[in-house]
Amino acid sequence: MFINKLNRIYKPKRILYYIIPTEDEIKAFYKGILPEELKFYKNAFGSYDSPGIFFLQNLEKEVLGIEFRINDARINYPAGLKSIELEENYFYLIELDDDITVTEGFIKEVFASIAKDEEACRMYPDLAVLENPSLIGVFAEFKKNRVLYERRVENDSSSAQKVSNNSAEMFDKNKLYRLAFFDPITGHYNWNYLVSYLENPKANGISDYAFAHFDVKDFRVINEIYGHAAANGVLCRVVEALNKADFVYASGRCHEDNFAIMIKDMPESEAIKKLRQFFDGISCLEEDPNYKIFYRCGFVPMQKAMLLGNRVPDAGKLAQSFGQNHNETQIITYTDKMHNDISWGNYIKTYVETAICKDEFVVYLQPKFDVNKGVIRGAEALIRWNYKNKEFLLPNRFIPFFEKDGSIGKVDDIVLKKVCKALSRWKKEGKSLYPISINLSRNRMYDNNLISHFSSIVDEYGIDHRLIDFELTESTGYDDTEKMISVLKELRASGYKISMDDFGTGYSSFSLLTKMPLDTLKIDKSFVGNLSFQNGRKEDIVVVKHIINLAKELGFICLAEGAEQKQQVDCLRELGCEVIQGFYYSKPIPIEEYEKKYL
């Protein structure tokens, strides 16, 4: 069980449209299934949150509903639902593991514990956790439940409001206030000042807002080439533009060339247009008219900004980090997927050892067939994750994360060991043995002990090296090609087979083909999907034909993957392809099923 303490947020006066759910509808909600009455309105314009379960003191039981901004002609409000106006609320937000059964009593127990140390974490200590809140909201997210628990304002004149209202008399000296809340270079507000708006937007007349976090691309170049005075001038012109912008509620210089702004809520397309116009207006360097200034901006729409509260800059900076193109201004909208990918990646990085101990990783085999004789030629081993023994995750839900953090080697080893164990048993039972290919990430080329490590596993099970075919994946690039070729040659010299996967995509190159010690060249499924002599494109057929001829002339076996239809198989056969792997013959299947069908 995990409880993730997140942030403190504020919601203005709003209207809740709701239904009285049945027990089955509540259970379905926690599985991510919404009633038809609410499904259409998820993430609708003007909504403050996703549909959720609400516990209200003035209602007899929990309700299932969605909150909207009040009296906005642009909003398509839900029809035929009950509604109730909710007063403004401050909340404390936590995340719970979706394994936990969420009840009102359990939530109150959790927050009774949180209340003991919550005050020490606040920059402006004017809000406290309530013992008996008038409102609790529960929202089902990806593999977690998000809980909003009401807080109260401790006093009528909060310290956050004093800061944002320039109440210098609360400090001993005006200079200290200026140093604390103003940027010395631009004279503009700094991040400490802007936090007061995020902590208590209502005190500054803000009901709801969107958020943006941006920086100046290649700012270091301006500093180094044109000098600090020119660079500081850029910062000052940004501030001048912020002060003139009619869509900006509040702004601050966070650090270096980074700025944060709270902006008026409007449809996303309109907000992106205004931001782009804003950046276009400050895109010239006064010292050199030929130098174009570009910006990288992470935009957080109102609904997400309100839910994130004082942690909204994390979302803005995350979206901002996706702007990698140098010669253009980029405005990237924050999505839940960005957050979920990072949360999921961090979680499984710590959970992978537990998953290995519980034997949650399962190997499937997808058969490869001789296209002319119709007999089996081998199989490819594919990893699946039986996550917590509750659901099977496809590789794209974990392989990219393991490649990024280095855990991919542990997964590769699991696949190799399970394949060798199966081959060893089949050998003892006198069954026919066919080569099995195993994906090999290019990241593992950095391991100087790779060949001896693999051989220790294969030899432990007494498996002929020729029955193991390592497929070099195209998921990541590899800078040291000479090192990679050297490792592949050592694998080949040790008796293993070598295949290049997904040829024609990723980092494949014709120059590498002349150097790499390959046995098999696999044509990527993106080429196979459009093949047909009857209604296919001539260009697709020509490309595949030449890849097949190239493979044969270089002495490689040519294998096509992703064939799903008879016309694709017939076309590949006519073009001279030798081996096919695809749903037309078989989808990936458990080892036991493979053994029963083909051995």
Side-chain angles (χ1 to χ4, degrees):
M1 182 181 83
F2 76 88
I3 299 175
N4 188 16
K5 301 176 185 179
L6 288 180
N7 50 308
R8 302 169 295 281
I9 67 174
Y10 161 79
K11 284 186 178 181
K13 189 173 182 179
R14 58 209 182 279
I15 186 167
L16 172 67
Y17 288 87
Y18 67 92
I19 63 171
I20 306 296
T22 64
E23 291 298 322
D24 287 341
E25 285 175 327
I26 292 175
K27 291 178 181 177
F29 166 79
Y30 285 114
K31 294 179 181 178
I33 303 171
L34 292 172
E36 291 297 325
E37 305 98 307
L38 294 173
K39 186 185 300 183
F40 176 77
Y41 297 96
K42 184 177 182 179
N43 295 323
F45 173 71
S47 62
Y48 281 109
D49 207 331
S50 302
I53 297 286
F54 294 85
F55 300 90
L56 289 91
Q57 280 186 354
N58 54 349
L59 294 179
E60 292 183 2
K61 70 183 299 287
E62 68 265 39
V63 300
L64 181 55
I66 185 168
E67 305 159 297
F68 279 85
R69 183 165 56 237
I70 298 175
N71 297 329
D72 189 330
R74 298 172 297 175
I75 294 175
N76 182 22
Y77 291 101
L81 300 183
K82 296 181 178 180
S83 65
I84 183 173
E85 285 194 1
L86 302 177
E87 296 299 323
E88 62 180 16
N89 300 97
Y90 296 88
F91 294 97
Y92 195 105
L93 174 61
I94 66 170
E95 286 178 352
L96 302 175
D97 193 313
D98 64 350
D99 289 339
I100 300 173
T101 301
V102 179
T103 64
E104 186 177 7
F106 174 80
I107 293 172
K108 288 184 176 180
E109 287 181 9
V110 170
F111 277 91
S113 174
I114 289 176
K116 296 176 182 178
D117 59 0
E118 193 265 344
E119 181 173 340
C121 302
R122 300 199 305 268
M123 185 171 180
Y124 299 99
D126 303 298
L127 299 167
V129 173
L130 285 168
E131 290 184 11
N132 294 299
S134 63
L135 175 60
I136 299 172
V138 183
F139 305 86
E141 300 279 6
F142 178 74
K143 298 196 178 302
K144 59 182 181 294
N145 292 313
R146 181 164 46 84
V147 180
L148 272 68
Y149 191 93
E150 188 184 21
R151 301 184 301 155
R152 70 173 182 273
V153 180
E154 287 282 345
N155 54 66
D156 294 333
S157 181
S158 72
S159 56
Q161 184 174 356
K162 290 177 181 178
V163 171
S164 56
N165 288 345
N166 292 332
S167 300
E169 65 273 9
M170 69 176 289
F171 300 94
D172 293 336
K173 294 183 179 179
N174 186 56
K175 183 177 180 180
L176 290 178
Y177 179 82
R178 297 289 303 182
L179 288 173
F181 301 108
F182 287 80
D183 170 44
I185 292 177
T186 64
H188 194 53
Y189 302 115
N190 64 15
W191 173 245
N192 291 337
Y193 181 91
L194 192 60
V195 168
S196 68
Y197 278 77
L198 296 173
E199 291 265 346
N200 194 352
K202 179 256 182 179
N204 299 284
I206 300 173
S207 294
D208 46 35
Y209 59 89
F211 183 87
H213 196 284
F214 68 89
D215 67 349
V216 183
K217 287 188 177 181
D218 296 322
F219 186 71
R220 180 176 56 83
V221 174
I222 299 175
N223 249 319
E224 294 177 354
I225 303 300
Y226 297 95
H228 294 309
N232 289 345
V234 171
L235 300 178
C236 291
R237 284 188 288 278
V238 170
V239 167
E240 183 180 356
L242 286 172
N243 289 332
K244 292 180 179 178
D246 60 0
F247 64 97
V248 175
Y249 281 133
S251 61
R253 181 188 175 207
C254 304
H255 59 89
E256 297 176 347
D257 57 317
N258 281 263
F259 292 84
I261 54 178
M262 297 171 69
I263 64 179
K264 297 176 182 177
D265 180 43
M266 61 194 78
E268 184 177 326
S269 59
E270 184 180 345
I272 298 296
K273 181 179 178 181
K274 281 188 173 291
L275 285 168
R276 194 164 296 283
Q277 291 172 341
F278 170 80
F279 292 125
D280 287 345
I282 50 175
S283 62
C284 293
L285 184 65
E286 286 189 355
E287 289 75 10
D288 184 355
N290 294 318
Y291 187 92
K292 183 78 170 176
I293 301 175
F294 298 107
Y295 297 85
R296 175 176 51 185
C297 176
F299 171 67
V300 186
M302 181 273 289
Q303 185 190 89
K304 305 302 180 189
M306 296 295 289
L307 296 177
L308 287 161
N310 62 314
R311 287 190 60 186
V312 71
D314 296 336
K317 287 187 284 188
L318 175 58
Q320 180 184 346
S321 69
F322 283 82
Q324 299 298 325
N325 298 340
H326 287 283
N327 295 321
E328 63 172 318
T329 289
Q330 292 176 275
I331 302 170
I332 303 98
T333 300
Y334 171 81
T335 64
D336 285 337
K337 184 178 185 302
M338 295 177 183
H339 169 76
N340 288 339
D341 280 351
I342 287 182
S343 298
W344 174 244
N346 289 334
Y347 173 67
I348 63 175
K349 180 170 63 175
T350 59
Y351 182 73
V352 64
E353 294 293 346
T354 302
I356 292 172
C357 291
K358 292 183 177 181
D359 197 27
E360 293 181 7
F361 292 102
V362 181
V363 172
Y364 276 41
L365 298 177
Q366 186 172 30
K368 304 173 184 178
F369 283 87
D370 186 309
V371 71
N372 295 306
K373 299 179 181 178
V375 297
I376 194 166
R377 288 280 296 268
E380 178 182 1
L382 299 167
I383 190 76
R384 298 291 185 267
W385 189 354
N386 188 8
Y387 175 70
K388 293 187 177 181
N389 294 309
K390 295 193 300 185
E391 61 176 315
F392 275 84
L393 303 180
L394 294 176
N396 63 359
R397 286 298 300 139
F398 57 91
I399 292 296
F401 301 100
F402 289 160
E403 286 182 330
K404 186 178 294 185
D405 66 30
S407 301
I408 190 64
K410 299 174 184 177
V411 177
D412 286 347
D413 288 354
I414 291 171
V415 176
L416 182 58
K417 289 176 182 178
K418 293 200 172 191
V419 166
C420 288
K421 182 178 180 180
L423 286 169
S424 176
R425 180 167 58 82
W426 297 336
K427 178 182 177 181
K428 292 176 183 177
E429 295 173 357
K431 290 182 169 63
S432 299
L433 301 180
Y434 303 100
I436 296 180
S437 58
I438 296 170
N439 289 314
L440 174 61
S441 171
R442 290 194 180 197
N443 292 339
R444 301 207 69 186
M445 298 298 169
Y446 293 99
D447 185 353
N448 292 327
N449 299 316
L450 185 67
I451 290 85
S452 61
H453 175 70
F454 282 159
S455 293
S456 67
I457 295 173
V458 177
D459 294 342
E460 179 184 352
Y461 289 92
I463 303 302
D464 189 331
H465 289 198
R466 291 174 297 179
L467 291 173
I468 304 298
D469 183 349
F470 288 107
E471 286 192 10
L472 188 65
T473 64
E474 290 295 317
S475 58
T476 53
Y478 190 82
D479 296 328
D480 193 346
T481 56
E482 294 302 320
K483 171 69 173 176
M484 178 183 68
I485 292 170
S486 173
V487 171
L488 294 179
K489 285 181 177 179
E490 283 191 64
L491 282 170
R492 189 97 178 284
S494 298
Y496 301 106
K497 301 293 185 182
I498 305 294
S499 298
M500 176 181 277
D501 196 12
D502 304 334
F503 180 73
T505 65
Y507 294 85
S508 304
S509 74
F510 286 103
S511 62
L512 279 178
L513 284 182
T514 63
K515 302 175 183 178
M516 295 176 69
L518 299 178
D519 295 284
T520 302
L521 190 68
K522 296 185 70 173
I523 303 175
D524 184 66
K525 59 185 177 183
S526 61
F527 293 102
V528 175
N530 298 321
L531 284 183
S532 171
F533 283 126
Q534 287 75 32
N535 49 24
R537 293 173 65 244
K538 177 183 176 182
E539 293 85 349
D540 294 324
I541 295 174
V542 169
V543 169
V544 172
K545 176 182 177 181
H546 283 286
I547 292 176
I548 293 171
N549 290 338
L550 174 66
K552 288 186 173 181
E553 290 187 25
L554 290 173
F556 308 148
I557 294 172
C558 189
L559 183 152
E561 56 182 345
E564 299 181 358
Q565 303 170 6
K566 184 177 185 298
Q567 64 210 42
Q568 295 167 351
V569 173
D570 292 341
C571 187
L572 287 165
R573 184 188 297 111
E574 288 295 318
L575 294 175
C577 184
E578 301 157 283
V579 184
I580 289 181
Q581 173 186 345
F583 277 30
Y584 176 78
Y585 287 106
S586 174
K587 64 181 181 180
I589 55 179
I591 289 178
E592 295 77 14
E593 186 177 343
Y594 172 84
E595 176 184 353
K596 183 178 179 180
K597 282 187 174 182
Y598 303 112
L599 305 187

